[in-house]
Amino acid sequence: MPGDRDAFRAPVGTHDVLPPESERWIDVVVRFADRAARFGYGLIVTPVFEHREVFERVGDATDVVRKEMYDFTDKGGRDIALRPEGTAPVVRAFVQHRPTVPWKVWYLAPNLRYERPQKGRYRQHWQLGAEAIGVADPEVDLEVIDLAHGFYRDVGAPARLLLNSMGDAESRPAYLAVLKEYLLDHAADLDPEFRERVEQSPLRVLDSKRGDWRDVIERAPQLTEYLSDAAQEHFERVQRGLDAIGIEYELAPRLVRGFDYYTSTTFEFVTDALDAAQNAVGGGGRYDRLSEEMGGPAEPGIGFGIGIERVLLAVQAATGDAPARGLDVFVVGGADPVLVHELRESGLATDEAFGGRSWKAQLKAADRAGATFAVLLGAEERERGAVAVKRLDSAEQQEVPREQLVGWLQEQLEQSS
Ligand code: HAM
């Protein structure tokens, strides 16, 4: 239980987003929204909690569901879980509403996982994501990868693409049998947890970052050697497509994404700006059976999720702290709500000091706000129906007739942009 002192702090593993960093936050969101619209994706908003079963489909053997879910029984006795990831709710919505396919949606959503917090890993993180349901063609794999790939470039945090295939319903069982046998053959030399994990889910073991297991994992047979002809052909077409549009990738045969729903193409975007344990700034893949598993039509799907906090850490590493967005105008020298209203309505970012502070204090506030111009409402100018306008970077000052002020400022700002 938190002591009194901690009760009024954001809970461990969560954080507030404040200005000026929040400007980068919204910039990242807007760029993604813009890009998603250009690719033909519409916004979807789903509840922050779902029936627990929705997420059980994501994989009982995964840590996200087994250990990290914020779940509880509500006052009506329902088993509820707070969203730990974005794909299951989207597929649940697809199954519920049966939209025509292809169904292409994007989202911005908080996700909750009871993880051990550290830099880049939080108990609440935000994701930007996209899902395309109803298309089996490798072209849609390309589309979603292209959507994510260009986003990292747009926001100034270029990321490397790691690519793998998890095989289809034909290839997976044969591989799992070979993998399990191999891992159990090596279990005797390792601690009992290893055997336990192998019995639970051999694929999850490949995911592990445990140093003492590394040797065994690195020599394990690879899924891509066991792909069925159809899965192999699909995987090759995705690679040829990426080559054609000039997106570089690294084949990553040991890339096992953390959920059971994945089939076929899987991928992750990593950045060198973050520690290796948290360097994934996004990831995704196909989930061709999830709709059916939720009682919906047998429609394939593919998508990805991008962690906003990690993207912002990578952007910050590349470009330094967020600059405060400057205002266009700061009004100094007394209350003139009509003028402030007019300036704002004409599209100029405008602020003023409240509370009748001294001129000096108001000019200081204008500087701190990073305003380009201060509009000074002096008594003498007021009598002449004018205002004084000061450029804050050069301290140049001139008188402008009150009724020409908006046009004059707009012109000046345009010239200096
Ligand atoms: P995920 O890999 O679990 O996939 O999460 C996607 C991204 O969210 C990660 O690459 C990372 O950037 C960020 N992320 C995940 N957990 C945390 C955390 N605890 N703190 C900070 N950032 C985090 C999914 O969630 C899948 N739903 C992606 C997907 C969509 N697959 C198909 N469609």
Side-chain angles (χ1 to χ4, degrees):
M1 291 298 115
D4 279 354
R5 219 181 272 255
D6 291 336
F8 299 109
R9 299 182 65 84
V12 170
T14 71
H15 57 264
D16 304 311
V17 183
L18 308 175
E21 283 75 27
S22 52
E23 280 173 23
R24 283 218 170 129
W25 202 97
I26 196 66
D27 179 60
V28 157
V29 171
V30 167
R31 282 176 197 268
F32 188 86
D34 189 49
R35 202 170 161 78
R38 251 186 295 145
F39 279 65
Y41 287 67
L43 175 68
I44 180 171
V45 181
T46 63
V48 75
F49 61 89
E50 297 271 352
H51 294 292
R52 197 179 192 287
E53 291 91 316
V54 170
F55 299 113
E56 277 160 5
R57 304 292 164 203
V58 161
D60 264 342
T62 66
D63 281 356
V64 170
V65 173
R66 247 175 1 114
K67 298 195 205 146
E68 296 168 0
M69 209 136 76
Y70 280 87
D71 48 3
F72 57 96
T73 309
D74 77 2
K75 291 181 173 39
R78 299 171 197 90
D79 281 341
I80 294 294
L82 304 185
R83 168 180 42 226
E85 67 93 47
T87 308
V90 168
V91 177
R92 191 271 306 143
F94 173 75
V95 170
Q96 179 177 339
H97 302 288
R98 305 287 164 110
T100 48
V101 294
W103 195 54
K104 306 203 303 186
V105 291
W106 73 272
Y107 49 86
L108 161 69
N111 295 275
L112 295 113
R113 301 179 187 177
Y114 195 80
E115 297 202 78
R116 201 162 45 79
Q118 49 190 286
K119 190 174 179 190
R121 186 191 293 161
Y122 310 106
R123 290 193 173 155
Q124 173 178 281
H125 72 277
W126 284 78
Q127 281 186 29
L128 286 162
E131 313 287 348
I133 300 181
V135 192
D137 304 351
E139 283 67 39
V140 80
D141 303 33
L142 280 185
E143 178 178 285
V144 295
I145 292 174
D146 192 15
L147 171 51
H149 178 264
F151 162 78
Y152 296 110
R153 182 205 53 217
D154 285 358
V155 299
R160 284 187 291 124
L161 167 61
L162 309 180
L163 188 68
N164 194 18
S165 172
M166 303 282 292
D168 52 17
E170 279 77 59
S171 14
R172 189 86 69 91
Y175 172 67
L176 283 182
V178 174
L179 177 66
K180 193 166 176 184
E181 194 184 327
Y182 163 86
L183 293 173
L184 288 178
D185 276 352
H186 293 81
D189 308 334
L190 298 171
D191 61 314
E193 197 194 328
F194 182 80
R195 176 176 284 275
E196 231 171 81
R197 292 270 286 270
V198 175
E199 295 290 357
Q200 233 163 33
S201 168
L203 276 179
R204 277 294 90 68
V205 174
L206 296 186
D207 229 4
S208 164
K209 303 233 157 54
R210 287 271 300 257
D212 50 337
W213 300 358
R214 192 182 304 142
D215 270 359
V216 171
I217 291 172
E218 274 181 3
R219 282 182 282 115
Q222 298 181 358
L223 211 160
T224 39
E225 292 161 13
Y226 291 82
L227 294 183
S228 67
D229 289 348
Q232 181 65 32
E233 148 99 16
H234 184 98
F235 193 38
E236 279 169 14
R237 281 178 61 190
V238 172
Q239 292 173 54
R240 282 201 298 273
L242 289 171
D243 293 338
I245 56 177
I247 293 182
E248 284 178 22
Y249 55 89
E250 296 161 36
L251 292 178
R254 265 175 293 274
L255 173 70
V256 181
R257 304 261 312 125
F259 301 110
D260 286 353
Y261 52 59
Y262 286 116
T263 52
S264 184
T265 312
T266 46
F267 55 91
E268 214 155 76
F269 287 94
V270 295
T271 168
D272 299 327
L274 300 177
D275 286 350
Q278 270 76 239
N279 68 352
V281 283
R286 278 201 166 269
Y287 43 88
D288 289 343
R289 304 169 70 85
L290 190 55
S291 167
E292 219 178 337
E293 283 171 10
M294 286 197 190
E299 293 288 1
I302 181 165
F304 61 79
I306 290 174
I308 294 186
E309 292 82 0
R310 290 189 192 175
V311 167
L312 291 177
L313 285 170
V315 172
Q316 192 187 21
T319 56
D321 287 336
R325 178 179 304 164
L327 291 169
D328 296 323
V329 186
F330 200 95
V331 177
V332 170
D336 190 342
V338 176
L339 177 67
V340 171
H341 173 80
E342 251 176 51
L343 291 168
R344 287 176 175 159
E345 291 302 318
S346 68
L348 299 171
T350 306
D351 211 348
E352 63 183 320
F354 296 103
R357 296 158 67 202
S358 72
W359 276 77
K360 199 170 153 208
Q362 291 188 44
L363 275 168
K364 219 176 187 176
D367 259 334
R368 231 189 349 254
T372 310
F373 291 104
V375 170
L376 312 173
L377 306 176
E380 282 175 28
E381 288 88 354
R382 208 182 284 245
E383 265 171 35
R384 292 197 290 273
V387 296
V389 184
K390 183 174 180 182
R391 251 204 106 93
L392 287 168
D393 53 2
S394 63
E396 241 172 78
Q397 189 167 318
Q398 79 181 82
E399 195 167 303
V400 179
R402 169 78 163 74
E403 71 273 14
Q404 290 171 20
L405 179 65
V406 168
W408 187 89
L409 284 169
Q410 281 170 332
E411 206 172 286
Q412 295 287 316
L413 285 162
E414 209 160 286
Q415 277 171 15
S416 51
S417 72

